[in-house]
Amino acid sequence: MMAGTALSIENLMYQYPGAHGPSVRVGSLVVGEGEHVVLTGSSGSGKSTILNLVSGLMDPTRGRVLVHGTDIHALKGAKRDRFRGRTIGMVFQTHNLLSGFSAMDNVLAALMFSAQPRREHDAHARELLERLGIERPGARVEALSIGQQQRVAVARAVACRPALVLADEPTAALDPEHARGAVEMLEGACRAVGAALVCVTHDLSLVDRFDRHRELSELSNEAGVS
Amino acid sequence: MALRDWDIVTRSVKARMFSSVTTIVTVAIALALVTLLVSMKSSARDAFSRGTGNAQMLISRDPSALTSVLNSLFYTDVPTNPIPWSDYEALSGSYPFAFAEPTAMGDSYKGHYVVGVRQTYFVNFFPIAGQPFGLDEGRVFSDDFELVLGSEAQRMTGLRIGDEISIMHGAPRSKGAHAHGEFVYEVVGVLEPTGSAHDRAMFSSLESAWVLHAFDRLLDEGVTLDRPMTRLDLEAQDKQITGVVASLGARTAALNQILARIGRDPNWTVAQPADTVRKLFSIVGSVDQILIAMGIAVLLSSGVSIMVALYNSMEQRRRQIAILRVLGASRWRVFNLVLTESALIGLVGGALGVVFGIVGGRVVSGVLEARLGLVVEPALPLPGYLGMILVTIVLSMMAGIIPACVAYRTSVVRALRPMG
C-alpha cells in the first residue's frame, strides 16, 4: 500500500450466492487521501455492492480492500464495526436517517461510535449542522425538507472526521440543478474534514466535478478473466 | 449532550408509545396481582388469628367447628340452633372452665350484629391474645338496652355516646329481620379497635336479647302487655344463647380430654378456634397457591406480550438497526439495545405493578375491614417489593431475547436497500 492512500482495492471479486459469474469485479482502484473519485455504471452493474464491500458490510469472494491502510475484511465482528464507524462515512440515496430522532441526534448517533471525547460531541455536531445550513437542529428529521435531510445525512457521514466517505447515488432523487448543489455540498463537507470521497452514480453529468472518474466496466475489464 | 445507548432505547420506547404503554400496563397488572396475593397471604392469616384471642374452645350447636368459629368469632352468620340456658348452666358446671362466656346472636343494627353477652365477657375474653377489650369512650353496659359499640361499628354507623336507637330482631340482611321500635337502646360505650371482627359488633346484655325474643313470642301467642316489657317477664324458654366462648385458663393439660368429652356429646359442637383457623388456612392456602400461580401465569403471558410487541416492532426497526450498524454499532450492541428496552419495560411495569399492588391492597384491606371488621395490612418488606421488580425485569429480558436475536441477525445490506 502506498502512503497517503485512503482506499486501495486489489483484485476484488464478489459473486452472489447462486450466481453463475462474478457480480462485481475490480482489478485495482487506489484513492488517495482527500481525493474525490466518481464511479459510474449502469443499473445493476454492482455500484452499491462495491460500496458494501468497501465498507465491510459484505465480505468479498476474493481480493482485498484496504481502507486507510487496514484490510477491513481481516477485522472481525465488533472490531470491523468500530473501524467502519471511525474511518468510513456513508451517504445513501434515501438518506437513511434515524426517524423519530432530531437532526442533532442523528449526528450525535454517529459520534457515539467515534473516538472523539464525549464532552466534545455536542459542540462538534452543532457546528457541523450550522456549517451545512441546518436551521433547526432540534427538529425531528421527518419535519425537515428533503434538501435539509440530505444535509443532515452528509453532516452525519463526516461527523467522525472519516478518512473515506462513500456516497451511494446521492443525487438519484434530485433534479439536475439540485443534484449539482448536493454534490457541491457533499464535496465541500468532505474537503472540510480532509476525507476522500468515493461516489457511485449513474448520472454522467456530475463526473466533471470530481478529481477522477472511473467506469465500473473499465475496472471490471482490468481485473481480467476470473 | 452526547447521545448514549440509553437515549436510543428511550426514544425507541417513545416512538412506539401506544404499544409500549399497553405492554407496560399488562406487566403492571400482572405484577400487581401477584404482589397483592403474596402480601395478603400472611397478613390475612394474622388477621384471622387475632380474632380468636384467648378462647381455647367454642361450644355451640352449629353443624361444624368451622361454622361455629365463623359465626361466633367472625360474625359471618347467625347460629341456627339455639342453646337453652339450662343446658349452658349444666355445661358450665360440668367442667373446670376458667371462663365460659355465653353469647346470643340474633339481633342487628344497620348490618352490625348486636351480640348479647354478660359484663364479664369484656373481662374474661381477650379478643387478641394477652390483650383485653379496652374502652375508647364511655363504659360497659350496666343495664338492659344499653349498647357498647365495637370501634368499626361506631365508625360505620356514626353513633355517639348517649344516642338512642331501635335495633332489628334478626340477622343483618336476613329476610325475617324486623324492627323493634318498642325498645330503645342507648349507646353507653365504644370499644378500642382490636383489628379483629369484634370491632364490627355491638354488645348488649343477654337479657336485652331475650326480652326482644320474648316480645315476639308473646305477640305470636296474642298476648299484649299494657306496660314496657322487662327481664322480669322472661320465661325459661326465652333464655337461649347461641354459643359459649370458653377457656380452661392455665389448665391446658386437661384441654384435649375435655374437648374429647364434650365432642362425644352429640348435643354439642366444640371447636378450638386457633386450630380451626389454622385448618381453614390450610384449605384457603391451596386456593392462595392457585391464585398466585394464576398471577404468575398472567405475568408470564405479559412476558409473551413484551416479546410479541418487541418482535413486531423489529420489522419497523430493521432500518434503524441497520443504520446504527453502519454508524459503527456492533451486533452485540444492537442486541443489548433491544434487551435494555425490554428491561426498561419490565422496570417501569414492575414498579407500577408494585404501586398498583400496594394501592389494591389498601382497597381490599378497606373492604375487609368494613365488611368483616378484619384489619388486614397487606405489606411486604422492601426487599420483597424490590425482588418482585427484579423478577419482572429478568422475565422481561428473557422475553426480549428473541427480538434481540432478530436485531442481532438483521442484514444491514438488505435493510438499507432503497424501498419502492
Side-chain angles (χ1 to χ4, degrees):
Chain A
M1 186 209 77
M2 58 185 262
T5 301
L7 171 66
S8 172
I9 299 176
E10 299 165 11
N11 295 319
L12 184 70
M13 196 270 271
Y14 180 78
Q15 187 172 344
Y16 277 106
H20 292 299
S23 310
V24 167
R25 227 165 36 172
V26 177
S28 171
L29 176 68
V30 176
V31 179
E33 280 182 357
E35 187 184 11
H36 291 188
V37 175
V38 62
L39 304 179
T40 55
S42 55
S43 277
S45 59
K47 299 189 293 293
S48 298
T49 305
I50 287 180
L51 296 192
N52 288 332
L53 289 166
V54 169
S55 61
L57 294 173
M58 289 169 71
D59 286 310
T61 310
R62 202 177 63 203
R64 280 210 313 170
V65 175
L66 304 179
V67 178
H68 208 46
T70 300
D71 182 350
I72 193 165
H73 298 107
L75 300 172
K76 298 294 172 203
K79 280 186 181 170
R80 189 192 294 184
D81 295 319
R82 190 163 48 243
F83 178 78
R84 177 174 53 249
R86 292 178 179 184
T87 320
I88 303 171
M90 292 184 82
V91 178
F92 302 90
Q93 178 187 330
T94 49
H95 314 317
N96 283 328
L97 296 173
L98 291 167
S99 60
F101 287 61
S102 68
M104 185 75 176
D105 286 343
N106 266 274
V107 179
L108 288 172
L111 289 167
M112 274 175 78
F113 308 100
S114 73
Q116 203 171 337
R118 299 181 73 88
R119 62 178 181 280
E120 294 172 11
H121 289 190
D122 195 68
H124 179 52
R126 212 169 281 282
E127 184 245 310
L128 246 180
L129 289 169
E130 194 183 324
R131 184 150 33 98
L132 286 167
I134 302 298
E135 291 146 7
R136 294 184 297 150
R140 283 189 170 206
V141 288
E142 297 89 339
L144 299 176
S145 67
I146 298 292
Q148 291 268 304
Q149 285 182 20
Q150 187 159 44
R151 285 166 190 273
V152 175
V154 171
R156 188 180 66 184
V158 298
C160 295
R161 296 189 179 93
L164 177 65
V165 171
L166 305 174
D168 187 1
E169 297 276 15
T171 61
L174 303 176
D175 58 58
E177 191 183 335
H178 283 100
R180 271 191 297 278
V183 169
E184 215 168 281
M185 186 257 300
L186 175 61
E187 283 206 297
C190 289
R191 289 201 199 288
V193 296
L197 172 64
V198 173
C199 178
V200 297
T201 181
H202 66 277
D203 187 354
L204 293 172
S205 68
L206 299 171
V207 296
D208 57 342
R209 293 207 49 84
F210 289 83
D211 300 334
R212 195 148 50 102
H213 169 220
R214 296 300 305 270
E215 270 283 348
L216 273 180
S217 53
E218 285 171 29
L219 293 172
S220 185
N221 290 336
E222 286 167 14
V225 180
S226 59
Chain B
M1 223 172 83
L3 206 66
R4 293 165 196 275
D5 287 18
W6 179 251
D7 300 312
I8 290 174
V9 169
T10 52
R11 275 168 177 74
S12 175
V13 170
K14 279 184 199 162
R16 294 174 297 103
M17 191 56 96
F18 181 75
S19 160
S20 302
V21 168
T22 315
T23 314
I24 285 169
V25 169
T26 311
V27 173
I29 289 171
L31 188 69
L33 191 63
V34 177
T35 306
L36 180 65
L37 290 170
V38 170
S39 61
M40 290 283 295
K41 200 177 175 206
S42 58
S43 53
R45 185 187 299 254
D46 290 347
F48 268 94
S49 303
R50 262 201 300 274
T52 61
N54 66 340
Q56 287 174 345
M57 58 183 106
L58 260 178
I59 305 159
S60 69
R61 287 191 173 159
D62 285 317
S64 71
L66 180 59
T67 315
S68 179
V69 171
L70 291 177
N71 286 347
S72 296
L73 292 178
F74 297 101
Y75 309 104
T76 52
D77 207 352
V78 171
T80 46
N81 301 319
I83 304 163
W85 184 248
S86 54
D87 287 4
Y88 161 72
E89 285 181 316
L91 176 81
S92 60
S94 306
Y95 300 98
F97 294 120
F99 69 82
E101 289 297 334
T103 59
M105 289 171 67
D107 303 324
S108 60
Y109 177 74
K110 289 190 175 174
H112 299 273
Y113 277 104
V114 177
V115 186
V117 293
R118 298 187 303 200
Q119 283 174 312
T120 49
Y121 176 83
F122 297 105
V123 179
N124 291 324
F125 175 59
F126 293 5
I128 304 170
Q131 227 176 297
F133 278 112
L135 275 166
D136 198 33
E137 279 184 88
R139 57 176 175 79
V140 169
F141 58 78
S142 58
D143 201 354
D144 295 340
F145 308 114
E146 290 184 342
L147 270 179
V148 176
L149 312 182
S151 60
E152 188 60 21
Q154 189 278 324
R155 192 181 69 81
M156 297 292 285
T157 58
L159 290 171
R160 299 276 165 217
I161 302 287
D163 282 355
E164 292 184 336
I165 58 166
S166 294
I167 66 168
M168 308 279 286
H169 185 52
R173 296 177 291 277
S174 74
K175 283 181 184 167
H178 53 277
H180 268 285
E182 313 82 14
F183 302 100
V184 176
Y185 282 69
E186 183 190 356
V187 178
V188 297
V190 178
L191 297 168
E192 286 174 351
T194 64
S196 68
H198 305 294
D199 292 349
R200 215 160 34 92
M202 298 178 169
F203 301 91
S204 70
S205 67
L206 279 172
E207 286 79 4
S208 308
W210 292 343
V211 167
L212 255 66
H213 182 78
F215 184 87
D216 282 351
R217 178 180 57 75
L218 287 177
L219 270 184
D220 288 347
E221 290 170 0
V223 179
T224 48
L225 291 175
D226 53 0
R227 55 177 172 75
M229 194 170 180
T230 68
R231 61 165 66 189
L232 298 172
D233 300 307
L234 293 173
E235 292 182 10
Q237 59 179 311
D238 301 318
K239 297 180 181 178
Q240 293 182 332
I241 60 170
T242 54
V244 181
V245 180
S247 170
L248 298 175
R251 292 186 291 274
T252 49
L255 183 62
N256 285 337
Q257 195 189 351
I258 291 173
L259 281 167
R261 273 180 61 194
I262 300 173
R264 272 199 296 274
D265 186 335
N267 287 319
W268 298 113
T269 297
V270 62
Q272 279 182 282
D275 192 45
T276 307
V277 166
R278 216 170 14 251
K279 282 179 186 161
L280 170 68
F281 269 90
S282 70
I283 300 165
V284 177
S286 317
V287 179
D288 270 0
Q289 283 165 6
I290 291 167
L291 288 174
I292 288 171
M294 282 169 65
I296 291 168
V298 176
L299 196 58
L300 288 175
S301 74
S302 70
V304 172
S305 69
I306 292 177
M307 188 183 75
V308 171
L310 285 174
Y311 188 86
N312 288 342
S313 78
M314 282 302 132
E315 273 310 308
Q316 306 152 14
R317 292 168 63 192
R318 280 183 201 277
R319 186 167 282 260
Q320 185 198 64
I321 288 162
I323 295 166
L324 289 171
R325 292 286 319 283
V326 165
L327 295 179
S330 65
R331 285 180 186 275
W332 278 111
R333 198 147 172 187
V334 293
F335 180 92
N336 284 329
L337 284 174
V338 177
L339 216 55
T340 309
E341 189 174 326
S342 59
L344 176 66
I345 289 171
L347 172 69
V348 178
L352 271 180
V354 164
V355 172
F356 288 172
I358 292 170
V359 172
R362 296 219 182 280
V363 171
V364 172
S365 166
V367 170
L368 282 177
E369 193 173 346
R371 299 192 63 167
L372 299 176
L374 289 173
V375 177
V376 179
E377 289 169 349
L380 288 177
L382 184 63
Y385 288 126
L386 294 178
M388 292 270 190
I389 295 173
L390 191 68
V391 166
T392 314
I393 293 172
V394 171
L395 269 177
S396 302
M397 288 177 78
M398 285 166 70
I401 286 175
I402 292 177
C405 286
V406 172
Y408 181 93
R409 293 164 59 91
T410 293
S411 161
V412 179
V413 172
R414 205 170 301 149
L416 290 183
R417 255 180 217 153
M419 287 173 287

